[in-house]
Amino acid sequence: MNSVDLPDPTPPGRRGPGPGPGPAPGDGPVLAARRHSRQIHVGRVPVGGGAPIPVQTMTTTPTTDIDATLQQIAEATAAGCDIIRLAVPSADDAAALPGIVAKSPIPVIADIHFQPRYVFQAIDAGCAAVRVNPGNIKKFDDKVKEIARAAGAARVPIRIGVNAGSLDPRLLAKHGSATPQALAESALWECSLFEEHGFTDLKIAVKHHDPLTVIAAYRLLAAGCDYPLHLGVTEAGPAFQGSIKSAVAFGVLLAEGIGDTIRVSLSAPPAEQVKAGCHILSSLGLRPRKLEIVSCPGCGRLQVDIHRLAQRVEAAFEGFPLPLRVAVMGCVVNGPGESREADIGVSSGNGKGQIFVRGRVVATVPENRIVERLLEEALKLAEHQSTRSPT
């Protein structure tokens, strides 16, 4: 196995505002310029080349259970998912792909391990892309030419997905462990095999459970190629821990302009993974925000159970169609100011709450009517916006 030369993984400097998606000029700080990458298309979804960053997830149902899989895809789509990936560990799973692809509202990626023949079945089934793990597929190197020919003819991109837990044994022997250099070298080596056959419709992911290893590995890839990069912290853990680890890694990389699509890997339902990914992107100004609740953490000044109130507001606004920033405050120091800055807000205390709409106090209501009144005002804003929208 030949080695692949890699640059030193030093952090790139801040490059200033760029043309990629983000806050409009004058809206506040912007991220570094998006790294220049070639663009591929996963079905109708462009990836790389400055396109908006899609959020992906993976179904957890048996792929052979077509109805359950389609239901989970629908739930993920409703949560904001752009691309869905399905595990294809058996011939029965491969046989189920055509029925799922035909009815899925978003592009389907087949996730292939161990058997190259399922790659060809996934392409024939109409999958929008195929993920291969070179460390797991038997005789992968010997099948690249055939895979490249089939994928090229069908215009189906290939994702090279390298995981720390299934790294090519040759790289483990060389580097001693799943280091950033080992992960990046594995991915670029496998890309070079496709390049030998003229196939460059590729996307790369190198995943590790440690955010710092992930950051270093993707910096290496960003400096060593122009392929679009799929960001992920693999086996990130339960929802709380995993969301933080993913946000740390993604926040650093995306702030440096690195990353063309993301997946938050949590021990949680796919729709929850999608929500976490969407929140990360919207927090960085890389995706239009939906509902955002601004609420205080609590202190000795409070005269209201702010944690319970924030939870009630969040539940009441679940699925609200209008992107809103809702402030739920109980502090006489910051409450009025935060409420004025939000679309809708409440500053609570002494058993009542001042309701703000777009910076103006519109009512003072008893504490037990705060949630109801906030929702009423939100519905008025939604109705007002709908009447102004062109038909």
Side-chain angles (χ1 to χ4, degrees):
M1 182 174 186
N2 297 331
S3 63
V4 176
D5 292 332
L6 293 169
D8 181 62
T10 53
R14 187 172 178 83
R15 296 179 288 272
D27 285 351
V30 295
L31 306 180
R34 292 278 296 278
R35 160 185 168 268
H36 174 75
S37 65
R38 66 183 70 192
Q39 188 171 96
I40 66 171
H41 281 80
V42 179
R44 66 179 181 272
V45 178
V47 178
I53 297 174
V55 174
Q56 304 185 27
T57 191
M58 192 170 182
T59 56
T60 58
T61 53
T63 303
T64 50
D65 189 339
I66 295 177
D67 289 341
T69 300
L70 286 170
Q71 175 62 34
Q72 203 167 68
I73 293 174
E75 293 167 358
T77 303
C81 189
D82 302 297
I83 299 170
I84 196 79
R85 182 158 49 103
L86 314 182
V88 187
S90 72
D92 289 340
D93 295 300
L97 289 175
I100 295 171
V101 170
K103 294 183 178 180
S104 174
I106 56 178
V108 172
I109 297 178
D111 191 75
I112 311 295
H113 294 264
F114 306 117
Q115 294 295 341
R117 68 177 182 272
Y118 300 150
V119 175
F120 305 108
Q121 289 181 256
I123 292 172
D124 291 340
C127 288
V130 175
R131 181 270 176 114
V132 296
N133 186 335
N136 275 348
I137 289 188
K138 299 174 182 177
K139 297 182 179 179
F140 175 83
D141 294 358
D142 298 337
K143 294 291 184 180
V144 170
K145 182 177 181 179
E146 295 176 53
I147 293 173
R149 182 185 296 121
R155 304 187 70 177
V156 171
I158 299 289
R159 173 183 147 196
I160 303 294
V162 178
N163 268 34
S166 52
L167 189 64
D168 190 313
R170 296 170 290 186
L171 272 301
L172 279 176
K174 176 181 176 180
H175 293 276
S177 65
T179 64
Q181 291 79 5
L183 294 168
E185 184 174 333
S186 176
L188 293 179
W189 164 254
E190 304 300 346
C191 287
S192 74
L193 296 180
F194 280 96
E195 292 165 356
E196 290 176 5
H197 302 289
F199 187 89
T200 58
D201 204 6
L202 300 168
K203 178 176 61 174
I204 303 177
V206 288
K207 295 189 177 182
H208 196 282
H209 66 270
D210 175 43
L212 297 181
T213 300
V214 168
I215 291 167
Y218 277 99
R219 283 172 174 165
L220 286 168
L221 287 175
C225 72
D226 69 348
Y227 290 116
L229 303 179
H230 170 68
L231 303 187
V233 178
T234 193
E235 286 90 43
F240 178 75
Q241 173 183 288
S243 295
I244 291 174
K245 289 170 69 173
S246 297
V248 167
F250 296 176
V252 170
L253 290 168
L254 292 169
E256 295 175 0
I258 299 171
D260 301 288
T261 175
I262 68 169
R263 188 241 174 142
V264 180
S265 299
L266 307 174
S267 298
E272 296 305 309
Q273 300 177 26
V274 171
K275 290 176 184 177
C278 291
H279 276 296
I280 290 171
L281 292 180
S282 62
S283 294
L284 292 166
L286 294 169
R287 193 177 181 100
R289 65 181 176 91
K290 294 185 179 179
L291 177 68
E292 178 186 1
I293 294 180
V294 178
S295 59
C296 57
C299 71
R301 291 188 297 266
L302 297 190
Q303 297 175 327
V304 64
D305 185 344
I306 199 67
H307 301 155
R308 182 171 177 272
L309 180 58
Q311 290 171 353
R312 289 176 56 214
V313 171
E314 184 177 34
F317 279 80
E318 178 71 25
F320 195 79
L322 189 67
L324 289 177
R325 178 178 287 116
V326 181
V328 182
M329 304 296 295
C331 174
V332 296
V333 176
N334 298 318
E338 290 284 2
S339 298
R340 276 193 297 268
E341 290 295 317
D343 297 302
I344 296 174
V346 60
S347 183
S348 310
N350 291 323
K352 57 188 178 181
Q354 276 191 321
I355 305 297
F356 292 74
V357 178
R358 299 277 164 84
R360 184 171 57 90
V361 176
V362 297
T364 299
V365 299
E367 186 175 318
N368 62 5
R369 287 206 62 233
I370 287 175
V371 177
E372 176 188 349
R373 186 57 185 264
L374 288 174
L375 193 54
E376 287 176 4
E377 297 299 335
L379 290 170
K380 290 178 186 177
L381 288 179
E383 182 180 1
H384 178 67
Q385 179 163 307
S386 66
T387 59
R388 294 179 59 188
S389 300
T391 55

